[in-house]
Amino acid sequence: MPASIAARRPGAAACPWTVRIWRLPGDRAEHRARDIVRNLLAGAGISAEGIADTELVVAELATNGIRHAAPPYELRVLFAGSRLRPIWCELADADPFLGRIPELLREPSRNGEPDDLDTLIAGLSLGGRGLSLVHALTAGRCLAYPTSTCARPGVGKAIGFAFPEA
């Protein structure tokens, strides 16, 4: 069962957004993240292709978290409007080190001609290919930023991306 957070100030009107948070188990984080996203997007009327692409994105990010970051791992989804349409997703962990993640989430640079075989092969040998895939599948609508997790105090990081539109 996810935790839900709705930002409200005393006396303020209902907030136009809600955040739901799921704790991801370290041994099956990518599977759980895929299941959650599949169910949310299917309910929002997203195409099968959009769902498949988004499942791949969350699986990649969850796997990276397990391999390179400290637990706990959380999947957080921002919902907007009265219909609670999912619009933003992030995977958070307790490791504050961003390293090259922001750089790898940007558009890949072309160091030479697109058909230059040496350049293409050199690009494949570098780490971060999965983050390049995240960039491509989200049409560049992705970011990495400091955050904290609900289960552990202190600074961690999140990698977030916009959901496809229905």
Side-chain angles (χ1 to χ4, degrees), residues 64-124:
N64 283 353
I66 292 167
R67 285 187 183 159
H68 305 291
Y73 310 107
E74 294 175 352
L75 174 76
R76 303 191 284 216
V77 177
L78 176 69
F79 296 83
S82 60
R83 294 185 350 199
L84 295 179
R85 186 174 71 81
I87 60 169
W88 185 259
C89 181
E90 62 184 22
L91 281 96
D93 59 59
D95 186 350
F97 185 65
L98 285 168
R100 292 182 53 222
I101 295 170
E103 171 192 340
L104 294 169
L105 285 174
R106 288 194 295 266
E107 182 83 39
S109 63
R110 301 229 184 261
N111 298 330
E113 295 299 316
D115 293 328
D116 178 5
L117 188 56
D118 290 334
T119 301
L120 293 172
I121 290 170
L124 290 175

Side-chain angles (χ1 to χ4, degrees), residues 3-4 12 17 20 25 29 32 41 44 54 59-60 63 67 69 73 75 85 88 98 106 114 129 133-135 148:
S4 291
W17 53 269
R20 292 191 182 147
R32 180 73 178 122
L41 296 183
T54 306
E60 176 63 29
T63 300
R67 285 187 183 159
Y73 310 107
L75 174 76
R85 186 174 71 81
W88 185 259
L98 285 168
R106 288 194 295 266
R129 290 183 303 271
L133 177 68
V134 167
H135 178 275
S148 60

